[in-house]
Amino acid sequence: MNSQQNIEVLKDGPYQVSGNVPLCEQIIVTDNQGDSVGWHTIKQYPVRQSYALCRCGRSKTLPFCDGSHVTIGFHGQETASQTPYLELARKITGPDLELTDVEELCVGAGFCDRAGGIWFLTRHSDDPTSRHIAIEEAANCPSGRLIEWDKDGHPLEPDLVPSIALVELPGLGIVGPIWVRGGIPLESADGHLYEIRRRVTLCRCGKSKNKPFCDGSHVHR
């Protein structure tokens, strides 16, 4: 991780991104049954030293901020817990895997539903196929709500390059969250540093009740 890379949540304003953080747009790939199975990049933006990403959802220059938050009187108060992930997580223990789950981080990406669901698969993780699919599903979860752990207590998370992806949902006619990968530091408007994690998703519709993180409200706008 580049120590100069960071994201600052500006008070009632955008996310200020610094440090040449790569930015792209991605869509969810589904299989013949309609289950989410992977990611596909549809656009790569030129690398910039810094940029401001819209947080209110009303900019006319999306994904970038154009100052609309001022015009509409956007209130972006951060309400997310500062409690570390593992202290919030529910644990599901299987024969070969342990799943941690913080439901309030769910963004509705749907990767956890395939083959009976990740909770079922974890409980049957002595079966090699179930174990493989469970690990794959957790690894694709953009918010890091779901993490699989091996029997030695090691997280089975993907090694993601520090970058940001804008999750697009063209089939629904809406945009999804801002997917931050690779442990980029996130600083609140009042100066505290959120827990650094390999994967987090930030709200960009302005409707989340768990700001700055996405809570799936974009689906119900």
Side-chain angles (χ1 to χ4, degrees):
M1 182 184 71
N2 184 335
S3 61
Q4 301 303 310
Q5 293 178 326
N6 75 290
I7 302 170
E8 182 183 357
V9 183
L10 301 186
K11 179 176 172 56
D12 298 328
Y15 302 106
Q16 184 64 48
V17 182
S18 301
N20 297 296
V21 178
L23 178 68
C24 69
E25 293 180 4
Q26 291 191 310
I27 59 173
I28 295 171
V29 177
T30 57
D31 62 15
N32 292 334
Q33 286 72 49
D35 291 321
S36 301
V37 294
W39 294 93
H40 176 63
T41 300
I42 58 173
K43 182 175 181 178
Q44 192 79 46
Y45 289 85
V47 176
R48 297 164 58 179
Q49 199 286 325
S50 65
Y51 49 90
L53 295 176
C54 176
R55 188 159 71 99
C56 70
R58 301 286 289 276
S59 172
K60 295 179 178 58
T61 59
L62 292 173
F64 304 108
C65 174
D66 69 352
S68 290
H69 57 278
V70 176
T71 304
I72 67 172
F74 174 62
H75 296 290
Q77 181 179 0
E78 296 164 71
T79 56
S81 170
Q82 297 181 38
T83 304
Y85 170 86
L86 284 177
E87 293 183 24
L88 295 172
R90 177 170 67 104
K91 295 183 179 181
I92 296 87
T93 301
D96 202 54
L97 293 173
E98 182 171 76
L99 175 69
T100 51
D101 179 3
V102 177
E103 188 174 0
E104 66 195 63
L105 298 177
C106 182
V107 300
F111 289 100
C112 55
D113 297 329
R114 181 164 54 103
I118 194 169
W119 303 273
F120 170 83
L121 295 167
T122 298
R123 294 188 178 99
H124 295 81
S125 55
D126 50 343
D127 168 61
T129 299
S130 294
R131 185 181 190 277
H132 173 78
I133 296 174
I135 293 171
E136 186 176 76
E137 290 184 349
N140 274 320
C141 174
S143 69
R145 165 193 171 176
L146 301 166
I147 300 176
E148 291 284 9
W149 305 73
D150 66 20
K151 294 174 69 175
D152 295 321
H154 299 130
L156 303 174
E157 288 194 273
D159 187 17
L160 299 170
V161 174
S163 58
I164 293 174
L166 306 168
V167 178
E168 302 293 337
L169 305 168
L172 298 177
I174 55 178
V175 298
I178 296 170
W179 182 16
V180 180
R181 294 88 68 90
I184 300 172
L186 175 67
E187 183 180 336
S188 73
D190 64 7
H192 80 262
L193 193 65
Y194 287 99
E195 179 183 17
I196 294 177
R197 304 187 61 221
R198 295 187 187 185
R199 298 169 284 163
V200 297
T201 44
L202 305 179
C203 174
R204 64 167 167 153
C205 71
K207 303 295 184 181
S208 175
K209 304 296 191 300
N210 192 39
K211 291 184 181 69
F213 302 108
C214 174
D215 67 356
S217 290
H218 56 277
V219 179
H220 308 292
R221 292 177 66 185

